[in-house]
C-alpha cells in the first residue's frame, strides 16, 4: 500500500520534445486514479516514468515515502499492465502469471501454486495450461491482471487497460476491474483517452493536455465543474456547448440574441465571457422567449434513448440532447431553454479558466 | 474438362517432369553408384555390393575428414548463432545512427570476405595471426563471412518481438540477461534454428577456405579430402567418391529434417500469438 507523489516532474525527449513540464501530482494510498487526455498529452509518459521505464529529466517520483526516481523499474515494487497485455506467447497461463515470482527466485512448486491461486481468483482455473494465443481478449486481460497481482506490488499501473477489448467486453471488464480494485485496495494509476472510462472507474481523475495537468478532481467535480474550456470540451459523451457572450444586467449573459440566466456573480456587465452549457441541460420549449436559444435543426443523430440535435442560429452552433420521442427533423426551427443552475462561465482568453466566482452547480444558483 | 484444358494440363505436367528429372538424375547416381561393383560416371542399374562401403571405412582419411567437418561446422555454427543473436537483438533495440546502412554495407562486403576476391589478403592475415593450418582460423574466417547475412535475417525476428514483452519483464525486475534467456531466445527460436542449419550447411559444403588455410591432411574436412580420392593410375576413384558423397550428404539431410520438424524453418520474423 502506498501513495504516489510526483514533484516537478519534467521529461525531455532527445530532439527537444518536452513531454512533461514540471508536473505535480499526488495519488492517495489505495486510490483508483485516472490519467485522462488526448493522445500525445503525456499521460503514458507519466505512467512509464512511475514504472521506471522512462527516466525523468528533472523532478522526483516518490512511492510510499521512498524516493524511487533513480531506481530501476524492477526495484520500485510496481506492476504494470500494458495496452497489448504483453503476455509471453511461448509460456502457459500459469508460467505467465508465475513469471514475476520466477524472477524473485521463488521455488517452482510454490510459484506454480501461487499462480494457480491468483489465476483462480480471476476465474482462469480452466485456462491454466493454455497459451495466450488460445485465449479470448477478456481472458488475456485477466491473465495480465493476475500476473500483476501475483507479485503483490505496492502500486498497479494500467496502460489503456480496456482499449483492446470490443465494446461489450469493455463494459464487463470495466465493472470487473472496478470491483477488483476495491477488493485489493492497491493504489492504481491508469491511463485512458476515453473520458467515459475515466468517469466510470476512477476515484479521481487528472485531465492532461500538452504535458500539463488541466484539472484534478473526482469524476463528479470534473464533469459538473470543468476548470477550463479544455476540460469542458473533453469530458462528457457530447462536448459542452461553449458560446461566446457578454455579461449584461440582471445576471444574464447575452449570447447571440438570447439573454440567458447565468451565475454571473461579481462580473461586471459588458465583460466578454464564454457561456458553457452541456447538451443534456438544454430543454425543448414550444415558444420562443427572451431566455431561449433559437435555431434551425441541421443534423439529427440518433443515440438510442436520446437524440442529439445540432442547431444553427444567432447564438452559433448549439448541440442539444432531447428525448427519443421528440419529432425533430432537419430544417425545422427549435427553441431550447438552458438549465440555469448548470450553466458555467469561462474566461474567453488565456487558458479559458472557469470564472472563479461561479458557485458550485447543484447548490443554490443565484442566476436561477 | 475440355480438350484444351486437358492438353494444357498434360503439357504442364510434362514440363514439370522434365525439370524434376533434370534435378533428380544426379541424385539417382548418388543412390546407385555407391552400391555398384563398377561405378561409372553415369547412373546405371548397379551390380549390388557393399565392398565400396567397406573400402571407405578402411580409409582412415575419409572418416577423420568427416569428424573435421563436424568440428568446423559445429564451431562456426555456435559462433554464428551466438554472435548474430546478440548483434541482431542489440541492433533492433539500440538506436544507432546509420544502422541500416551499416547492415547493408556488411551484407555486401560479406560476399567478398568468403569469396575468392579476398583470398590473398585473407591468407596473409591468417599467416600474420599464426592461424595457418589451424581449425580456429577456418572457423573465424567462415564465421566472419556468414555473420552479416545471419544478423540480417535474425534482426527481422528480433524486430518483430514487441518491446512491451521486455518492458513488462523489466518492471518485474528481470535483468537484461534474463530477458534474453527467458523471452528473446525462445521467441526467435525458429530464426536461430534456421541460422544454425544454414551455417552448418554453408561450412559443410565450403571447399575453398579450408583448402587454402589448412595444410595437414589430418585437419582437412570432407569437402577437401574428397578432392584427393584418386586411384594409383591418377583416375578419380569413383567407387570411393560416390560412397563418400553419400556418407557426406547424409548428416546435413538428417539435420535439416530434424530441425525442420522440431522448429520449422522461417526466414522472416513475426510472433504467432
Amino acid at each position: 500500500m502506498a501513495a504516489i507523489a510526483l514533484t516537478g516532474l519534467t521529461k525531455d525527449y532527445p530532439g527537444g520534445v518536452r513531454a512533461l513540464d514540471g508536473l505535480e501530482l499526488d495519488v492517495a494510498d489505495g486510490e483508483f486514479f485516472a490519467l485522462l487526455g488526448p493522445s500525445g498529452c503525456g499521460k503514458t509518459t507519466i505512467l512509464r516514468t512511475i514504472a521506471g521505464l522512462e527516466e525523468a529529466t528533472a523532478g522526483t517520483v516518490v512511492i510510499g515515502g521512498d524516493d524511487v526516481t533513480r531506481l530501476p523499474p524492477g526495484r520500485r515494487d510496481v506492476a504494470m499492465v500494458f495496452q497489448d497485455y504483453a503476455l509471453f506467447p511461448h509460456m502457459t497461463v500459469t508460467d505467465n502469471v508465475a513469471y514475476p515470482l520466477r524472477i524473485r527466485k521463488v521455488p517452482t512448486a510454490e510459484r506454480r501454486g501461487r499462480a494457480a491461486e491468483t489465476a483462480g481468483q480471476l476465474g482462469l482455473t480452466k485456462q491454466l495450461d493454455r497459451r495466450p494465443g488460445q485465449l479470448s481478449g477478456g481472458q488475456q486481460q485477466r491473465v495480465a491482471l493476475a500476473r500483476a497481482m501475483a507479485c503483490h506490488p505496492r502500486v498497479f499501473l494500467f496502460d489503456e487497460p480496456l482499449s483492446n477489448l470490443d465494446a461489450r467486453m469493455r463494459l464487463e471488464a470495466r465493472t470487473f476491474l472496478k470491483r477488483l480494485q476495491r477488493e485489493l485496495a492497491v493504489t492504481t494509476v491508469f491511463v485512458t483517452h476515453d473520458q467515459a472510462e475515466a468517469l466510470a472507474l476512477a476515484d479521481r481523475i487528472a485531465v492532461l493536455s500538452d504535458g500539463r495537468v488541466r484539472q484534478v478532481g473526482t469524476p463528479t467535480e470534473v464533469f459538473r465543474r470543468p476548470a477550463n474550456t479544455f476540460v469542458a470540451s473533453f469530458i462528457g459523451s457530447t462536448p459542452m456547448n461553449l458560446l461566446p457572450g457578454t455579461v449584461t444586467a440582471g445576471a444574464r449573459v447575452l449570447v447571440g440574441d438570447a439573454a440567458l440566466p447565468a451565475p454571473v456573480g461579481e462580473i461586471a456587465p459588458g465583460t466578454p465571457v464564454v457561456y458553457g452549457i452541456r447538451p443534456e441541460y438544454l430543454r425543448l420549449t414550444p415558444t420562443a422567449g427572451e431566455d431561449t436559444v433559437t435555431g434551425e435543426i441541421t443534423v439529427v443523430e440518433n443515440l438510442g434513448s436520446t437524440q442529439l440535435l445540432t442547431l444553427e442560429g444567432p447564438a452559433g452552433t448549439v448541440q442539444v440532447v432531447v428525448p427519443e420521442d421528440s419529432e425533430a427533423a432537419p430544417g425545422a426551427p427549435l427553441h431550447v431553454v438552458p438549465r440555469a443552475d448548470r450553466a458555467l462561465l469561462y474566461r474567453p482568453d488565456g487558458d479559458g479558466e472557469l470564472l472563479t466566482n461561479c458557485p458550485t452547480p447543484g447548490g443554490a444558483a443565484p442566476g436561477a | 474438362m475440355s480438350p484444351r484444358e486437358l492438353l494444357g494440363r498434360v503439357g504442364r505436367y510434362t514440363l514439370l517432369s522434365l525439370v524434376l528429372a533434370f534435378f533428380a538424375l544426379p541424385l539417382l547416381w548418388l543412390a546407385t553408384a555407391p552400391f555398384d561393383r563398377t561405378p561409372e560416371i553415369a547412373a546405371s542399374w548397379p551390380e549390388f555390393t557393399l565392398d565400396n562401403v567397406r573400402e571407405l571405412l578402411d580409409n582412415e582419411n575419409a572418416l577423420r575428414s568427416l569428424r573435421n567437418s563436424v568440428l568446423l561446422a559445429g564451431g562456426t555454427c555456435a559462433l554464428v548463432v551466438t554472435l548474430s543473436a546478440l548483434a541482431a537483438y542489440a541492433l533492433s533495440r539500440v538506436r544507432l545512427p546509420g544502422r541500416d546502412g551499416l547492415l547493408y554495407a556488411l551484407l555486401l562486403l560479406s560476399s567478398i570476405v568468403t569469396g575468392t576476391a579476398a583470398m590473398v589478403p585473407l591468407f596473409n592475415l591468417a599467416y600474420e595471426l599464426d592461424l595457418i593450418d589451424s581449425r580456429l582460423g577456418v572457423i573465424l574466417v567462415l564465421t566472419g563471412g556468414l555473420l552479416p547475412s545471419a544478423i540480417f535475417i535474425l534482426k527481422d525476428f528480433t524486430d518483430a518481438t514487441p518491446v512491451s514483452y521486455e518492458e513488462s519483464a523489466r518492471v518485474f525486475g528481470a535483468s537484461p540477461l534474463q530477458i534474453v534467456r527467458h523471452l528473446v531466445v525462445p521467441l526467435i527460436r525458429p530464426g536461430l534454428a534456421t541460422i544454425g542449419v544454414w551455417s552448418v550447411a554453408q561450412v559443410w559444403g565450403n571447399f575453398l577456405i579450408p583448402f587454402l588455410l589448412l595444410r595437414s591432411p589430418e585437419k582437412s574436412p570432407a569437402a577437401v579430402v574428397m578432392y584427393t580420392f584418386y586411384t594409383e593410375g591418377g583416375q578419380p576413384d569413383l567407387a570411393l567418391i560416390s560412397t563418400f558423397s553419400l556418407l557426406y550428404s547424409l548428416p546435413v539431410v538428417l539435420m535439416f529434417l530434424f530441425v525442420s520438424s522440431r522448429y520449422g524453418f522461417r526466414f522472416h520474423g513475426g510472433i504467432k500469438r
Side-chain angles (χ1 to χ4, degrees):
Chain A
M1 307 302 110
I4 304 171
L6 308 178
T7 326
L9 203 63
T10 301
K11 174 70 190 174
D12 292 328
Y13 281 110
V17 180
R18 176 157 284 199
L20 303 176
D21 192 2
L23 187 105
E24 309 277 333
L25 210 56
D26 286 296
V27 180
D29 182 20
E31 193 170 35
F32 205 174
F33 193 89
L35 299 170
L36 174 66
S39 53
C41 71
K43 55 192 192 297
T44 300
T45 306
I46 299 176
L47 201 73
R48 292 171 59 87
T49 310
I50 299 174
L53 293 170
E54 306 277 354
E55 199 166 311
T57 314
T60 55
V61 180
V62 175
I63 298 177
D66 307 323
D67 185 345
V68 300
T69 318
R70 302 288 158 213
L71 283 187
R75 291 181 45 206
R76 297 185 173 202
D77 203 9
V78 302
M80 185 156 169
V81 174
F82 288 77
Q83 190 171 1
D84 61 359
Y85 312 137
L87 299 176
F88 308 140
H90 58 294
M91 296 185 192
T92 61
V93 169
T94 313
D95 289 341
N96 262 292
V97 176
Y99 190 73
L101 305 173
R102 178 175 169 191
I103 295 296
R104 293 180 185 189
K105 309 238 186 295
V106 176
T108 310
E110 187 190 338
R111 69 173 187 245
R112 280 175 181 269
R114 276 167 64 179
E117 189 189 320
T118 312
Q121 286 172 18
L122 300 188
L124 291 164
T125 309
K126 284 184 190 150
Q127 282 80 31
L128 284 178
D129 293 324
R130 301 236 187 119
R131 299 273 171 97
Q134 299 166 295
L135 302 177
S136 71
Q139 288 169 337
Q140 289 186 13
Q141 195 215 23
R142 276 182 282 152
V143 176
L145 286 172
R147 187 171 65 177
M149 283 162 60
C151 54
H152 297 290
R154 292 192 293 181
V155 171
F156 283 136
L157 304 171
F158 297 156
D159 188 4
E160 305 257 3
L162 303 176
S163 65
N164 270 11
L165 301 174
D166 58 54
R168 184 166 291 278
M169 270 305 301
R170 195 174 304 175
L171 282 184
E172 219 173 277
R174 200 164 80 181
T175 314
F176 176 82
L177 206 60
K178 182 144 189 167
R179 183 184 306 144
L180 186 72
Q181 202 272 344
R182 283 267 179 287
E183 284 167 7
L184 298 173
V186 173
T187 314
T188 305
V189 181
F190 78 102
V191 157
T192 180
H193 62 266
D194 182 350
Q195 54 84 30
E197 202 173 294
L199 290 175
L201 279 174
D203 297 327
R204 278 198 310 149
I205 301 172
V207 186
L208 301 144
S209 82
D210 300 326
R212 288 189 303 148
V213 176
R214 305 305 300 265
Q215 184 172 8
V216 180
T218 64
T220 316
E221 285 166 8
V222 173
F223 183 79
R224 291 240 182 115
R225 205 177 145 78
N228 46 58
T229 47
F230 172 80
V231 178
S233 58
F234 196 75
I235 297 279
S237 50
T238 49
M240 186 184 282
N241 293 303
L242 295 167
L243 310 169
T246 316
V247 175
T248 59
R252 279 170 191 267
V253 171
L254 194 64
V255 176
D257 58 357
L260 306 174
V264 168
E266 308 281 299
I267 307 171
T271 312
V273 291
V274 171
Y275 179 87
I277 185 82
R278 289 199 181 278
E280 292 87 349
Y281 299 142
L282 288 165
R283 185 171 46 79
L284 292 182
T285 176
T287 52
E290 195 202 11
D291 59 351
T292 58
V293 178
T294 303
E296 184 182 300
I297 303 175
T298 54
V299 182
V300 179
E301 291 167 65
N302 198 329
L303 305 181
S305 63
T306 55
Q307 286 179 316
L308 178 66
L309 310 181
T310 305
L311 304 185
E312 300 281 356
T317 306
V318 180
Q319 291 198 302
V320 192
V321 172
V322 297
E324 56 190 321
D325 49 5
S326 69
E327 288 164 11
L334 201 71
H335 313 290
V336 290
V337 186
R339 259 181 74 177
D341 61 338
R342 287 286 187 257
L344 297 163
L345 295 182
Y346 291 97
R347 198 181 294 282
D349 46 13
D351 274 348
E353 296 98 336
L354 186 66
L355 289 166
T356 46
N357 46 3
C358 280
T360 309
Chain B
M1 195 184 291
S2 72
R4 195 190 161 84
E5 275 177 51
L6 191 71
L7 214 63
R9 191 167 282 202
V10 168
R12 214 160 39 234
Y13 281 115
T14 312
L15 186 71
L16 278 178
S17 309
L18 284 176
V19 173
L20 213 64
F22 183 78
F23 287 101
L25 281 177
L27 292 178
L28 192 64
W29 180 82
L30 196 60
T32 61
F35 306 106
D36 198 336
R37 201 174 302 278
T38 53
E40 291 164 36
I41 204 75
S44 59
W45 193 251
E47 295 173 60
F48 187 80
T49 175
L50 284 175
D51 285 353
N52 297 339
V53 180
R54 203 165 300 126
E55 193 190 337
L56 181 72
L57 294 181
D58 288 340
N59 187 324
E60 58 173 20
N61 251 351
L63 289 186
R64 197 171 47 207
S65 73
L66 280 176
R67 199 179 61 105
N68 288 334
S69 280
V70 169
L71 285 178
L72 291 182
T76 310
C77 171
L79 269 183
V80 167
V81 168
T82 313
L83 295 180
S84 64
L86 293 175
Y89 178 53
L91 278 172
S92 67
R93 291 298 182 261
V94 180
R95 278 179 188 280
L96 210 65
R99 178 181 63 184
D100 291 342
L102 177 85
L103 215 55
Y104 281 110
L106 277 178
L107 200 61
L108 195 68
L109 291 175
S110 71
S111 55
I112 300 174
V113 170
T114 42
T116 28
M119 278 313 22
V120 176
L122 262 181
F123 184 85
N124 278 338
L125 185 67
Y127 184 79
E128 295 296 332
L129 292 174
D130 209 12
L131 286 173
I132 295 292
D133 201 25
S134 128
R135 289 195 193 91
L136 181 66
V138 177
I139 289 179
L140 287 181
V141 170
L142 288 171
T143 303
L146 298 179
L147 263 183
S149 314
I151 295 172
F152 194 76
I153 294 172
L154 268 189
K155 184 170 168 287
D156 201 37
F157 284 85
T158 47
D159 280 349
T161 312
V163 184
S164 62
Y165 293 173
E166 290 148 42
E167 289 183 335
S168 176
R170 270 176 68 200
V171 174
F172 293 129
S175 68
L177 217 60
Q178 280 176 317
I179 291 175
V180 168
R181 240 181 36 233
H182 297 160
L183 301 179
V184 180
V185 168
L187 289 173
I188 65 170
R189 187 166 284 157
L192 294 175
T194 305
I195 296 299
V197 169
W198 169 78
S199 57
V200 165
Q202 291 285 317
V203 177
W204 200 260
N206 195 300
F207 169 78
L208 194 60
I209 306 252
F211 179 69
L212 287 174
L213 297 185
L214 294 176
R215 304 276 90 166
S216 38
E218 306 86 65
K219 292 182 183 169
S220 292
V224 174
V225 161
M226 203 187 303
Y227 181 64
T228 66
F229 288 163
Y230 286 94
T231 58
E232 288 82 353
Q235 294 291 313
D237 188 341
L238 281 182
L240 207 53
I241 290 182
S242 61
T243 318
F244 190 64
S245 298
L246 186 64
L247 197 62
Y248 169 70
S249 47
L250 276 181
V252 181
V253 173
L254 289 180
M255 173 189 69
F256 210 83
L257 291 177
F258 170 75
V259 176
S260 165
S261 68
R262 182 115 165 66
Y263 303 106
F265 279 102
R266 281 198 283 147
F267 283 96
H268 57 88
I271 307 288
K272 205 172 137 202
R273 299 172 56 141

